[in-house]
Amino acid sequence: MKDKRTRILFLSLSLAALGGLLGYTQQPKPLDPFEEAMRQRQMYLETFGVLPGELYVEEGKELFFRKGPSGKTLEECDFGLGKGKLEGVYAVLPKYFPDSRKVEDLESRVYTCMQTVQGYKPEAIKREEVKAITTYIASFSSKAKMQVVPKHPQELAMYNLGRELWYARAGARDMSCAVCHDQYAGQRVRLSPVRSPKQGLGSEWPAYRFEADKLYTMEDRIAFCYESIAIPAPAFYSEPYIALTLYMLAEATKAGRSFEELPFFTR
């Protein structure tokens, strides 16, 4: 951001306010999670005049137009609809890219272009910067209808891998994605509603989670699921994330789903 101290101050104030905000969740009869999130969202707006997700968008915008070691910005990258085009690109990803010869989601595509277009070494690329850039680009697909339709052979292979991972039971708890998200679709785990891909699972990421006081991308959310069932999460930008994302969003596309307001604000 232009003045990163603004973000630091905001997040510090957010943490100070978080204790009071979480008081709502301690009531004997908890609020509906969506209603609770909207209540907290309104409180943030009234208190700070801006939502946390908007700060990530602004930071991502600055990083997007920052010149890398090659002297180029990410305007030179094709994110799925042509060089420099951002409107609606998040809604068509993951997809196959001829230049990298692989299927990529938005996060891995940002990671790729920071190397191939901007000239950054992998070790110089910060995860938080990728998240911010991802959030900025995703904001151009806010409320967009999902259009993930595997056609290329590698897209079909990645979809099949995602479906396999979705149903594969693993770990000490013998769990799979389907155990929660298909078997208990429409119900709740603790206070959180459970959705299946056809019900629009994945439509809210990237999102700011006020209980954790941090922004989660789609890959972050998948990593959280791995950790929740005691399975070590894969390395970011790797095939399991891309395959699962492709499977979930392709199924949501078949059901005619759209993204929420991006970045979303959630519990």
Side-chain angles (χ1 to χ4, degrees):
M1 296 176 63
K2 187 174 182 179
D3 185 355
K4 290 191 177 181
R5 289 176 298 179
T6 302
R7 177 179 171 187
I8 294 170
L9 175 60
F10 180 92
L11 294 180
S12 296
L13 290 170
S14 298
L15 286 171
L18 194 58
L21 296 176
L22 292 181
Y24 290 114
T25 66
Q26 305 305 316
Q27 299 177 31
K29 185 179 180 180
L31 296 172
D32 176 89
F34 179 79
E35 292 178 356
E36 180 187 5
M38 293 304 98
R39 186 172 180 175
Q40 310 299 358
R41 183 182 187 277
Q42 185 60 31
M43 182 173 288
Y44 271 98
L45 283 173
E46 292 176 358
T47 304
F48 307 115
V50 65
L51 293 172
E54 294 172 359
L55 298 177
Y56 283 93
V57 170
E58 287 303 310
E59 182 179 3
K61 180 179 181 180
E62 287 202 0
L63 293 169
F64 184 88
F65 292 103
R66 178 187 65 181
K67 291 182 179 180
S70 69
K72 296 180 180 180
T73 72
L74 286 173
E75 293 173 280
E76 296 297 315
C77 179
D78 176 6
F79 289 99
L81 294 176
K83 186 184 294 186
K85 295 182 180 180
L86 303 183
E87 196 74 37
V89 297
Y90 192 53
V92 302
L93 298 175
K95 66 173 295 183
Y96 174 79
F97 287 89
D99 58 357
S100 63
R101 297 182 180 180
K102 60 185 179 181
V103 177
E104 298 182 283
D105 62 2
L106 180 54
E107 294 173 66
S108 61
R109 186 61 179 170
V110 169
Y111 184 67
T112 292
C113 287
M114 289 182 77
Q115 296 173 68
T116 60
V117 174
Q118 292 191 289
Y120 287 104
K121 300 293 184 182
E123 60 271 17
I125 299 175
K126 299 176 182 178
R127 172 67 185 156
E128 289 302 311
E129 291 186 347
V130 173
K131 290 173 60 174
I133 296 168
T134 295
T135 303
Y136 169 65
I137 297 173
S139 71
F140 287 87
S141 297
S142 185
K143 298 185 178 180
K145 191 169 184 178
M146 297 177 186
Q147 301 176 59
V148 180
V149 182
K151 294 179 180 179
H152 188 278
Q154 286 199 36
E155 293 172 353
L156 293 169
M158 194 68 79
Y159 171 86
N160 289 333
L161 174 60
R163 181 173 56 189
E164 181 181 341
L165 291 171
W166 182 263
Y167 289 103
R169 301 178 75 113
R173 297 175 185 172
D174 191 34
M175 291 286 288
S176 71
C177 303
V179 168
C180 284
H181 290 283
D182 287 346
Q183 187 173 341
Y184 295 101
Q187 301 182 44
R188 293 185 182 181
V189 173
R190 304 183 188 91
L191 287 177
S192 300
V194 178
R195 290 189 294 175
S196 68
K198 290 184 178 179
Q199 292 174 325
L201 177 65
S203 64
E204 68 267 47
W205 311 107
Y208 174 78
R209 297 189 66 193
F210 69 83
E211 281 195 340
D213 191 36
K214 63 188 294 187
L215 184 128
Y216 280 61
T217 62
M218 186 70 155
E219 289 200 8
D220 288 324
R221 190 63 186 86
I222 293 172
F224 178 80
C225 282
Y226 269 107
E227 293 162 3
S228 296
I229 59 176
I231 298 175
F236 286 116
Y237 322 122
S238 60
E239 280 195 351
Y241 292 107
I242 300 166
L244 283 167
T245 299
L246 179 53
Y247 171 74
M248 286 188 280
L249 297 187
E251 292 299 294
T253 296
K254 293 176 187 176
R257 300 295 176 179
S258 299
F259 284 105
E260 304 286 352
E261 178 183 69
L262 298 178
F264 198 55
F265 185 100
T266 187
R267 181 174 179 277

